[in-house]
Amino acid sequence: MPMSTEPRPTSANGIVITFFSTASAVGKTLVACNMASELAREGYRVCLVDFDLQFGDVCHYLQLQPTKTLADLQRTMQVEGDSCRVQEFLTPYEREGVHFSVLAAPKLLEEAYNIHHDYAVRAVRALQRQFDYILIDMASMFSTLNLAMLDQSTIVTFLGIVDFLPTIKNMKIGMDTLKTLGYDKNKIRLVLNRSDAKTRISLADVQKLLGEPFYHVLPNDFRAASTSIRDGIPLVLAPQRTALGDALRALVDRYTNHSSTPAETEAKQQESSWLSRIFG
Ligand SMILES: Nc1ncnc2c1ncn2[C@@H]1O[C@H](COP(=O)(O)OP(=O)(O)O)[C@@H](O)[C@H]1O
Ligand SMILES: [Mg+2]
């Protein structure tokens, strides 16, 4: 584990973890903020990227006021090319001695609309040279940007909740689409959030429908989740321990022990790009 939390240039490729879902409000932003905090607490150099371009919540959840966003980075890249310094567009987060960086979503809707996925990919590649982990929060859709990010991912965290039948139907469509696109099975981690929320739907039935078990399960804790968002303190950094915070930490433990190396992922990316399969 690295000793310094200060980003420093390296030739190594950072690990890219994306947070994806086929329904909104399933916990992508909450889980992404907590995983970024926990990885940073463990001493890794972490950048949390908000690619929920139109309705990004990362800065809201962490109570950050960014002066620069992805829109500024894209504008600079358009003039200076990839030689521009990505670090200058990041917003620092610090709490209790834990530091990580945030690449904020554009502030204006028109800026969000004008982000091109090529620049987003170039931004992620630049971040991979600076950080151990790049965590990417996304919007819930199979957009060009999201397909490009799924291609860049070392691990895709596919989050779902089991509440209403339409949510489960959409999760099934999402899983089937990823399968049709020929994803590497190890790359997709199906994570159930709000597991013990009151519902009449059996987990076993959902797993059967999806064709695979959940990789990790996070408990439902509305009070802990909403307090953490209200106070801008991720659960893994909160003074009070919670079952949800512990389960989020356990998810990070499982990810940091994973066997897929960035080099392997890069080779696989060249073999099969989901983006090119759909739009090629
Ligand atoms: N495990 C959980 N238990 C209870 N509430 C949760 C949990 N995870 C997330 N929430 C709540 O669900 C809402 C949506 O979470 P969010 O992270 O914004 O979802 P998304 O980014 O997928 O739209 C938030 O109000 C959050 O407090
Ligand atoms: Mg979100």
Side-chain angles (χ1 to χ4, degrees):
M1 189 187 303
M3 297 303 290
S4 165
T5 55
E6 285 300 305
R8 57 179 188 276
T10 163
S11 57
N13 257 356
I15 291 170
V16 177
I17 303 178
T18 42
F19 296 85
F20 180 65
S21 69
T22 47
S24 56
V26 300
K28 291 183 300 298
T29 306
L30 182 122
V31 175
C33 289
N34 275 279
M35 289 188 76
S37 305
E38 179 60 14
L39 286 164
R41 202 179 63 79
E42 291 180 10
Y44 293 105
R45 299 164 303 169
V46 177
C47 185
L48 176 57
V49 176
D50 195 348
F51 278 170
D52 185 349
L53 300 182
Q54 296 190 353
F55 301 109
D57 281 325
V58 167
C59 289
H60 167 219
Y61 279 26
L62 298 173
Q63 294 182 356
L64 295 173
Q65 270 91 39
T67 53
K68 299 252 174 84
T69 73
L70 173 65
D72 302 299
L73 175 58
Q74 176 170 295
R75 274 191 284 269
T76 307
M77 276 179 162
Q78 282 166 337
V79 177
E80 296 178 14
D82 288 351
S83 63
C84 84
R85 286 165 53 83
V86 69
Q87 305 93 294
E88 290 172 9
F89 299 86
L90 305 180
T91 305
Y93 176 82
E94 194 277 326
R95 174 149 212 113
E96 310 285 342
V98 172
H99 304 254
F100 61 88
S101 298
V102 171
L103 176 54
K107 288 182 187 170
L108 305 173
L109 219 53
E110 75 228 39
E111 289 177 328
Y113 193 75
N114 286 322
I115 296 294
H116 192 280
H117 66 270
D118 270 350
Y119 287 100
V121 169
R122 282 151 76 171
V124 170
R125 293 213 173 118
L127 292 170
Q128 283 184 282
R129 291 191 283 276
Q130 307 284 330
F131 293 93
D132 298 312
Y133 284 94
I134 300 92
L135 275 66
I136 306 178
D137 190 16
M138 308 201 295
S140 322
M141 61 175 102
F142 278 102
S143 60
T144 316
L145 172 66
N146 283 357
L147 286 166
M149 289 307 123
L150 294 174
D151 281 340
Q152 295 301 310
S153 305
T154 315
I155 302 177
V156 177
T157 310
F158 187 162
L159 272 144
I161 54 176
V162 174
D163 54 355
F164 303 114
L165 287 177
T167 323
I168 297 161
K169 185 237 346 157
N170 291 343
M171 220 193 304
K172 165 85 175 145
I173 293 174
M175 276 309 279
D176 287 352
T177 305
L178 297 179
K179 280 177 190 163
T180 311
L181 293 172
Y183 72 87
D184 168 14
K185 216 170 169 218
N186 292 323
K187 184 161 147 169
I188 314 290
R189 310 286 160 88
L190 195 55
V191 174
L192 175 68
N193 192 18
R194 311 193 64 171
S195 67
D196 38 6
K198 284 191 173 51
T199 166
R200 291 178 180 201
I201 302 162
S202 128
L203 207 60
D205 284 347
V206 176
Q207 298 192 127
K208 205 166 137 197
L209 184 76
L210 296 176
E212 60 190 282
F214 287 102
Y215 172 84
H216 197 76
V217 173
L218 298 166
N220 185 49
D221 188 342
F222 182 74
R223 186 191 289 249
S226 42
T227 304
S228 130
I229 293 166
R230 186 198 63 202
D231 298 344
I233 307 174
L235 288 156
V236 296
L237 302 181
Q240 208 104 59
R241 228 174 123 173
T242 54
L244 181 53
D246 288 350
L248 286 159
R249 222 175 265 129
L251 182 57
V252 170
D253 283 350
R254 298 186 71 179
Y255 275 19
T256 47
N257 288 332
H258 69 81
S259 57
S260 166
T261 64
E264 280 169 358
T265 306
E266 208 168 275
K268 277 173 190 150
Q269 272 166 18
Q270 281 161 10
E271 266 169 37
S272 64
S273 151
W274 297 345
L275 190 60
S276 63
R277 279 174 200 212
I278 286 196
F279 298 105

